[in-house]
């Protein structure tokens, strides 16, 4: 699975194909930091034609690991609930 | 045998204790009282039917923002995240397999919530000695840190949502 982000300018590739998840995240953050000053989205530079040098590619495993991290439990887990109920719970 | 644990701060030289891990036994015997008196850690002894069945120690601390778990650092400014550290926890050999460890965690969590009412605390954090110990903490509800599986965390807001410390008033 892959995802793409573009700034519309020539940038150097930030990732190796075998980049770790942390490297992927760092690269995305770098791109995001550039975005506000870029102002590069326009009808003449549609999203479906990204600059090839700004494409981030990652494996399905890395994507799954990232999603797992982003989808960390939103509420107390069942194990914690059992602990906090105490011996009579 | 009673299920009820009596937990109290260590305020005198502790009785003999053996949990099967020499470093934890030795720490309680040689450093526990001094740690409590000096303010580096507060040590709590758990008794059942008059017998010492376990102990744990709590310290105030902080976790670097970048090394905190995703939920722990979510919404926090990029400063160290205030936490209570579960510095030690041990169960006596003869009391293992009876839920004492889980009870000690519950006590530690309750005390953390009570402390958080006076001083901001984001999470209760523990650094497990090894993978087996980390499994125990995960089993009782801690969440492993995504970057460091030997560090596990519980958010105070989760403990509060579960009503922690309401019965410990």
């Amino acid at each position: 699975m892959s995802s793409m982000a573009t700034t519309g300018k020539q940038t150097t590739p930030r990732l190796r194909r075998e980049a770790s998840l942390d490297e992927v995240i760092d690269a995305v953050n770098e791109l995001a930091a550039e975005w506000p000053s870029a102002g590069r989205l326009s009808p003449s530079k549609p999203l479906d034609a990204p600059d090839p040098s700004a494409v981030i590619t990652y494996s399905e495993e890395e994507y799954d690991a990232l999603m797992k991290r982003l989808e960390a439990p939103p509420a107390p887990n069942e194990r914690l609930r059992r602990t906090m109920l105490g011996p009579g719970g | 045998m009673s299920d009820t644990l009596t937990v109290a701060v260590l305020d005198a030289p502790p009785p003999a204790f053996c949990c099967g891990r020499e470093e934890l036994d030795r720490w309680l015997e040689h450093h526990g009282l001094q740690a409590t008196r000096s303010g580096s850690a507060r040590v709590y002894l758990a008794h059942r039917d008059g017998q010492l069945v376990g102990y744990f120690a709590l310290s105030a601390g902080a976790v670097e923002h970048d090394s905190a778990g995703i939920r722990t650092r979510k919404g926090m400014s990029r400063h160290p995240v205030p936490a209570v550290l579960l510095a030690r926890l041990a169960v006596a050999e003869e009391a293992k397999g009876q839920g004492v460890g889980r009870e000690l965690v519950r006590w530690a969590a309750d005390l953390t919530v009570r402390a958080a009412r006076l001083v901001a605390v984001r999470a209760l954090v523990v650094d497990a000695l090894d993978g087996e110990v980390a499994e125990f903490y995960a089993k009782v509800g801690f969440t492993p840190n995504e970057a460091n599986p030997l560090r596990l965390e519980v958010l105070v807001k989760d403990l509060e949502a579960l009503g922690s410390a309401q019965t410990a008033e």
Side-chain angles (χ1 to χ4, degrees), chain B residues 132-146:
Chain B
E132 185 181 353
V133 175
E135 277 183 29
F136 161 75
Y137 285 112
K139 188 176 167 186
V140 298
F142 280 73
T143 301
N145 182 290
E146 292 80 3

Side-chain angles (χ1 to χ4, degrees), chain A residues 69 72-74 76-77 79-84 86-87, chain B residues 70-71 102-103 106 109 138-141 146 158 162 164:
Chain A
R69 288 174 58 175
N77 61 48
R79 290 173 166 182
L80 185 60
R81 190 186 67 79
R82 283 206 306 272
T83 296
M84 299 316 296
Chain B
I70 289 177
R71 288 193 71 219
R102 187 185 286 268
E103 265 297 274
R106 189 170 73 87
K139 188 176 167 186
V140 298
E146 292 80 3
D158 288 350
L162 289 167
S164 177

Side-chain angles (χ1 to χ4, degrees), chain A residues 22-45:
Chain A
D22 285 339
E23 288 173 307
V24 171
I25 292 172
D26 287 344
V28 170
N29 286 337
E30 284 180 28
L31 287 174
E34 290 177 10
W35 196 271
S37 61
R40 296 177 183 89
L41 277 180
S42 72
S44 63
K45 291 188 180 296

Side-chain angles (χ1 to χ4, degrees), chain A residues 14-25 27 56-59 61-63:
Chain A
R14 290 173 165 80
L15 287 176
R16 295 166 288 111
R17 187 167 184 79
E18 63 275 20
S20 68
L21 178 58
D22 285 339
E23 288 173 307
V24 171
I25 292 172
I56 296 173
T57 305
Y58 46 86
S59 70
E61 290 75 21
E62 287 170 330
Y63 179 82

Side-chain angles (χ1 to χ4, degrees), chain B residues 61-66 68 72-73 76-77 79-83 121-123:
Chain B
V63 178
E64 287 299 321
H65 183 278
D66 289 345
T72 300
R73 68 173 183 254
M76 304 292 287
S77 60
H79 298 293
V81 179
V121 176
R122 176 71 171 169

